[in-house]
Amino acid sequence: CIWDVSDIRKAHVVQTWLAADNSILYIAPVADGRLVTCSADKYIKFWNWETGELLHSTQAARGIPAAAVMLDDRTAAIGGGDASIRIYDWHDGKDLMGQYGFIAMDYAIVDVCRVFLDDAEEARWTQQPILYRTIPRSVGEDDAKTAIESAKLLLKDALGYKESS
C-alpha cells in the first residue's frame, strides 16, 4: 500500500496492488513516481507507484534480493543474499553487471535516504550517540571512517566493473 501521510490525522491509502507472490522485504524510491521492490520470491520489480503498473521485473539468479539504492534516474544498486551487488538499469530492464554482479562478500546495501539542506545545520545533529558506547569514542570514529572509505571503494569498483571475455 502507498499511504498519503501529508496530514497524519487524515492518513489514507493512495494506491494498493499485489506486488509479489511472497513477502515484500524491501521497498524504495528509484525516481520520481517509481519504486523498486525486493521480495522473498527472488524478484526485483520496478513500479510506477501512481498507477501500480509493473515497469520491469527480474529474478535474482541466486539468493534473495534484500535492498536497493537509487543511483540516478535510470539505475539502482541491488544487494542480496548471494553476497553480490548488481547495477540495474530499470529504464531499459538491463543488469549492467552481467550474470554474477559484483561479489561483495560480507558487504551489504541496507538502505537509502535523501539528504536535505537543513541537515547541514550542525545544531540539528544528534549530539550524543543513542546507543550505549562500549569502546572509546576515538576508536568508534576511526572504525566508522574506515568503514565509509571501504564502502566508497566497493561502490567505485562495482560501478567501474568490466566483465572479462
Side-chain angles (χ1 to χ4, degrees):
C1 293
I2 305 295
W3 288 79
D4 179 347
V5 292
S6 56
D7 180 346
I8 197 67
R9 293 174 300 258
K10 297 178 183 175
H12 62 278
V13 174
V14 175
Q15 182 65 262
T16 184
W17 67 89
L18 180 63
D21 291 332
N22 208 319
S23 300
I24 297 293
L25 303 174
Y26 191 83
I27 185 169
V30 290
D32 286 342
R34 307 295 189 253
L35 294 174
V36 62
T37 57
C38 299
S39 58
D41 57 7
K42 296 187 172 186
Y43 276 93
I44 302 121
K45 296 179 181 178
F46 295 84
W47 303 89
N48 176 323
W49 71 264
E50 295 167 330
T51 65
E53 176 190 2
L54 178 62
L55 302 172
H56 289 286
S57 177
T58 185
Q59 190 171 27
R62 303 173 317 278
I64 295 173
V69 176
M70 177 175 62
L71 297 176
D72 59 34
D73 286 343
R74 293 182 67 92
T75 56
I78 301 165
D82 67 348
S84 74
I85 297 172
R86 298 184 176 283
I87 307 300
Y88 194 81
D89 180 336
W90 64 267
H91 189 266
D92 290 338
K94 294 182 180 176
D95 186 337
L96 304 178
M97 298 298 293
Q99 184 179 2
Y100 298 108
F102 172 78
I103 303 301
M105 302 309 173
D106 59 351
Y107 182 77
I109 299 170
V110 294
D111 204 356
V112 61
C113 65
R114 295 181 185 258
V115 177
F116 299 96
L117 276 178
D118 286 347
D119 294 338
E121 293 180 35
E122 194 168 336
R124 295 177 182 260
W125 297 358
T126 302
Q127 299 300 314
Q128 293 296 319
I130 297 168
L131 300 174
Y132 294 104
R133 192 180 313 150
T134 58
I135 59 173
R137 183 181 189 120
S138 61
V139 172
E141 288 174 347
D142 289 342
D143 286 350
K145 288 175 186 174
T146 300
I148 290 168
E149 289 306 314
S150 294
K152 286 179 183 177
L153 289 172
L154 284 171
L155 188 56
K156 182 181 174 186
D157 286 348
L159 292 172
Y161 176 78
K162 302 280 190 239
E163 189 167 340
S164 59
S165 313

